[in-house]
Amino acid sequence: MTRDAFLGGRVRLYQPRVGYRAGVDPVLLAASVPAVAGQTVLDLGCGVGAAILCLGARVPGLTLTGVEVQPDYAELARRNGGDLLEVITADLKDLPLDLRQRQFDHVIANPPYFDRSAGRAARDGGRETALGETAPLKLWVKTAAKRTRPKGYVHVIHRAERLPELLTALPSYMGSFEVLPLTPRVGRLAELVIIRARKNGRAAFRLHPPLIMHEGAHHGADGDSYVPAIRAVLREGAALQF
């Protein structure tokens, strides 16, 4: 195990030294959620709790619940979250009845990015479960929508090339779609997108300008080259406004 600092040390997480390790993506997802104290949040596929605990650190007073299929990662999430985080060990395809009877103000997800019908599996089982898609992306999106209460929000971060699939998978009762493209540098194509949708929302679709993550057009040297807005999110726990 390692114990790693997030948000400038405001969140510290036990993670396996070998296997899936949380990086920047769950922190950006957490920063995109406009939650307020008193609301409820569900994280589908919470891993060791990176996204939902970063959100909880930024917005105190939330009721936090995570679902994780891998028992060892779920146990780490419990250890990391303590009394702040309820963790349910369950498969997305077979959620327990009590969870299926609940709805949340915000549902967040960082689904596995890679379709293994067109790629090679990771050697480590934990990493492969986190990155290699077993449950279809459509199931992730529909499950998130079902667990969202009326006027609540679904938030998903994923690869940019799967944006059409994400949008078409959202049920018809989801609306007010917003998409924030994330691009590594000036002049580069977006690699990730954050999608926000509201249950029973009626606002027009909004495609936001790309958020550039790193300074300069090219990678010059190792080190922290994040633009100020991204640095504030990652190091200071700032919200990602869009």
Side-chain angles (χ1 to χ4, degrees):
M1 291 295 131
T2 63
R3 194 170 188 227
D4 304 299
F6 292 77
L7 307 187
R10 292 170 60 187
V11 174
R12 294 188 178 273
L13 302 177
Y14 288 101
Q15 302 192 84
R17 188 176 297 275
V18 177
Y20 175 75
R21 294 173 56 80
V24 170
D25 300 2
V27 183
L28 294 174
L29 174 63
S32 73
V33 181
V36 296
Q39 291 187 324
T40 55
V41 184
L42 173 66
D43 185 355
L44 296 176
C46 68
V48 301
I52 198 161
L53 291 175
C54 285
L55 175 56
R58 178 171 63 84
V59 186
L62 299 174
T63 299
L64 307 176
T65 302
V67 174
E68 174 53 44
V69 66
Q70 299 188 81
D72 48 349
Y73 283 78
E75 189 55 40
L76 283 174
R78 291 187 188 95
R79 182 179 181 183
N80 290 328
D83 295 338
L84 298 176
L85 176 62
E86 172 195 15
V87 181
I88 299 168
T89 307
D91 193 314
L92 196 69
K93 293 172 281 191
D94 187 26
L95 294 178
L97 178 60
D98 61 338
L99 182 59
R100 287 187 276 122
Q101 293 175 334
R102 296 163 61 185
Q103 291 187 312
F104 299 80
D105 295 297
H106 299 275
V107 179
I108 64 175
N110 182 186
Y113 284 163
F114 302 107
D115 181 353
R116 287 311 189 207
S117 64
R120 183 188 304 178
R123 292 181 180 179
D124 178 82
R127 182 174 174 82
E128 173 57 22
T129 300
L131 297 178
E133 184 176 294
T134 52
L137 184 56
K138 185 175 183 178
L139 177 62
W140 283 84
V141 174
K142 287 194 170 183
T143 302
K146 286 181 180 179
R147 300 279 60 79
T148 305
R149 66 175 34 139
K151 300 300 183 181
Y153 291 89
V154 169
H155 316 262
V156 178
I157 188 169
H158 214 285
R159 301 287 298 177
E161 63 263 27
R162 302 195 72 178
L163 176 59
E165 186 179 353
L166 282 164
L167 291 176
T168 56
L170 283 162
S172 59
Y173 53 78
M174 299 299 296
S176 302
F177 301 114
E178 296 187 63
V179 176
L180 176 66
L182 302 173
T183 185
R185 297 181 185 276
V186 173
R188 298 274 295 275
L189 295 175
E191 294 183 357
L192 298 174
V193 289
I194 297 177
I195 297 177
R196 178 188 296 151
R198 192 175 195 187
K199 198 164 193 174
N200 308 127
R202 296 292 181 265
F205 174 83
R206 299 182 69 187
L207 177 61
H208 292 269
L211 180 60
I212 297 167
M213 295 183 61
H214 294 275
E215 297 174 332
H218 305 283
H219 176 73
D222 291 339
D224 188 342
S225 63
Y226 291 113
V227 300
I230 296 296
R231 190 179 303 117
V233 167
L234 300 180
R235 308 289 183 245
E236 301 165 21
L240 188 57
Q241 303 289 348
F242 80 97

